[in-house]
Amino acid sequence: MFKISLHLLKLQFKKVYLITDNYGAEYLKSLPFTDVITSLEDSVPDHYSIMWALGKIFAYKIASELGEPFIHIDNDVFLFKRFSQKELLNGVITQHQELGVWFNYEAEQFIRSLPNKYYFSYKKINNASNMGIFGGTNLDFINFYANESLKVSLDPKNMQAIRTTHFYCPVAPPCMTEQYYLNLLADLTNTEIHYLLPTNHDQYQKVAFDLKYCHLWGAKSGHRWLVNQYLDNLIYRLNLNY
């Protein structure tokens, strides 16, 4: 996925950076990133491995502190056609809005079980952002969001609640602290989120097809063997030798 995603991004953007740790840098050393930043080394404690979004949140924080607008793109996002410059220059952008998260993310159980709720105690909302793509020009808000998300995620007193919720719903803790928390803090600060793709599933599929946009988040677990077969075939067709 890294090979294909990076290849397509380099066709659309002049600079593509990887923010990772030393292991990630060694594992992906053959790929032609503009630069590799190993700022994640020692950032995420080993026992937080169930919080798979933490590395991304640290990356948002680091990118926002570099002082230039940025776009983060997941390694399972294939951007065959660049979004318009007008779209990419919004203050805060994400892939699309997710609804019904109070049920899908086990939100009530998760929030209720947290000893230190931080802004989770602000109010109840029922939407979140799919962050296959995330970024924008409002670096102050992005930095505020990333720092606050890290606080609630890394609070040692919250770890038992994270583990318990993860047992019943593995996606809940990382999705709540990354995707739900973004929308919650945007509501708190009256910050607009610009969605690149529509919320409605049928409309999403049509627009994504027209844009030649693909995000594999829904297929990686249930059909991993088939996805790997398709990816290997695409790597061969693109002649990606690195």
Side-chain angles (χ1 to χ4, degrees), residues 30-233:
S30 65
L31 303 190
F33 289 97
T34 303
D35 197 5
V36 176
I37 302 168
T38 56
S39 299
L40 296 191
E41 184 67 20
D42 299 324
S43 293
V44 182
D46 290 340
H47 62 283
Y48 278 88
S49 59
I50 59 176
M51 296 289 282
W52 42 259
L54 272 178
K56 292 175 60 179
I57 298 168
F58 270 109
Y60 305 153
K61 169 181 164 60
I62 293 164
S64 68
E65 291 171 350
L66 293 177
E68 294 185 15
F70 72 93
I71 300 296
H72 163 88
I73 298 182
D74 281 0
N75 70 315
D76 62 341
V77 168
F78 303 151
L79 193 63
F80 287 86
K81 181 180 178 182
R82 177 178 170 139
F83 288 100
S84 71
Q85 192 70 1
K86 181 181 178 180
E87 295 249 70
L88 296 179
L89 288 178
N90 279 280
V92 180
I93 65 171
T94 68
Q95 179 176 290
H96 70 277
Q97 182 175 211
E98 295 187 354
L99 303 177
V101 297
W102 201 250
F103 172 77
N104 295 330
Y105 290 175
E106 295 286 347
E108 184 173 5
Q109 175 186 321
F110 179 69
I111 294 173
R112 186 176 63 244
S113 65
L114 289 174
N116 292 332
K117 295 178 172 45
Y118 296 85
Y119 286 107
F120 276 122
S121 62
Y122 163 58
K123 68 184 296 187
K124 171 184 174 179
I125 63 173
N126 201 27
N127 58 85
S129 289
N130 186 294
M131 295 164 73
I133 287 186
F134 171 64
T137 61
N138 190 344
L139 300 182
D140 289 339
F141 171 78
I142 293 173
N143 186 257
F144 165 69
Y145 147 70
N147 278 297
E148 292 303 321
S149 178
L150 291 172
K151 286 179 186 177
V152 69
S153 300
L154 295 173
D155 189 322
K157 293 183 178 179
N158 287 341
M159 191 61 210
Q160 184 55 48
I162 289 171
R163 289 187 182 278
T164 301
T165 309
H166 174 267
F167 179 80
Y168 292 102
C169 182
V171 303
C175 285
M176 286 295 292
T177 53
E178 184 199 17
Q179 301 182 169
Y180 179 96
Y181 218 54
L182 176 75
N183 284 41
L184 188 67
L185 295 186
D187 185 282
L188 171 73
T189 57
N190 293 317
T191 300
E192 181 181 359
I193 298 176
H194 177 73
Y195 300 104
L196 295 169
L197 297 172
T199 303
N200 178 274
H201 177 75
D202 292 338
Q203 293 177 351
Y204 173 98
Q205 295 295 340
K206 182 181 184 306
V207 174
F209 182 81
D210 291 343
L211 290 171
K212 297 179 173 57
Y213 176 88
C214 178
H215 185 188
L216 292 179
W217 89 95
K220 288 183 295 183
S221 56
H223 306 280
R224 185 182 299 273
W225 68 272
L226 187 58
V227 171
N228 287 342
Q229 182 178 331
Y230 286 146
L231 294 180
D232 286 343
N233 185 275

